[in-house]
Amino acid sequence: RDPFEEAIEALDALDAKRHHMEAKPFAFRLSEILRVYVERRFAVPAMEQTGEEFLREVAEHKFFRNRYDDLLREFIDRSDMLKYSREGLDGEGLRLLLDSAGHFVRDTHRRLEEEREKAENQPEEIAA
C-alpha cells in the first residue's frame, strides 16, 4: 500500500478515537504512524531509533535537508514528553500534535509529487 494513504487513514482513525484515549497511548500511536510513514516513504529506519537519533537521521536525508527541522523537533519533544513523563496534554494540545503530524505527512507528499512531476517534465537532453 501507498505509505501516504496508509498514514492518512491511520491519522483519521486516531482522530476519531482522540476523545476516548489517554494522552500517553495517543502519543505512542501518533508517533508510530509518523515513524512508519517516514520509514516506508523515505527508507529511514525510524521505528528503531530514539527521538534524537530519528532527528539526526532525518537531518542527513537529502529530501529533508533544511526542511521540517522545527516541526519534527517540536513533534518529537512533545511526543516524548507525553510518552515518558507524568505530564499530559489537554484535548487541544493533542489536536495540535495530531495536526502537526498530518501537516508533515501531507506536505512531504505534496513536495514529493511536485519533485516527481518536475523530473518527468524535464526535457530530455539531446545527445550532441
Side-chain angles (χ1 to χ4, degrees), residues 106-120:
R106 286 178 179 88
D107 198 65
T108 56
H109 178 72
R110 180 186 57 80
R111 287 178 189 250
L112 286 168
E113 288 295 307
E114 287 172 356
E115 288 179 8
R116 183 185 57 77
E117 288 174 16
K118 186 177 178 182
E120 288 176 359

Side-chain angles (χ1 to χ4, degrees), residues 19-60:
H19 298 294
H20 308 291
M21 291 182 76
E22 296 291 325
K24 202 169 279 217
F26 178 88
F28 271 104
R29 179 66 183 125
L30 186 57
S31 181
E32 178 185 34
I33 293 167
L34 187 75
R35 287 171 180 257
V36 166
Y37 169 73
V38 169
E39 193 164 288
R40 290 184 180 158
R41 176 63 79 187
F42 300 100
V44 172
M47 292 298 291
E48 308 301 321
Q49 299 176 331
T50 66
E52 286 301 315
E53 291 168 337
F54 173 70
L55 290 171
R56 278 195 302 275
E57 184 86 23
V58 165
E60 294 173 11

Side-chain angles (χ1 to χ4, degrees), residues 60-74:
E60 294 173 11
H61 191 281
K62 179 178 82 169
F63 176 80
F64 292 108
R65 204 162 291 132
N66 300 319
R67 293 180 180 158
Y68 308 109
D69 295 341
D70 293 337
L71 185 145
L72 287 173
R73 161 74 57 201
E74 185 173 330

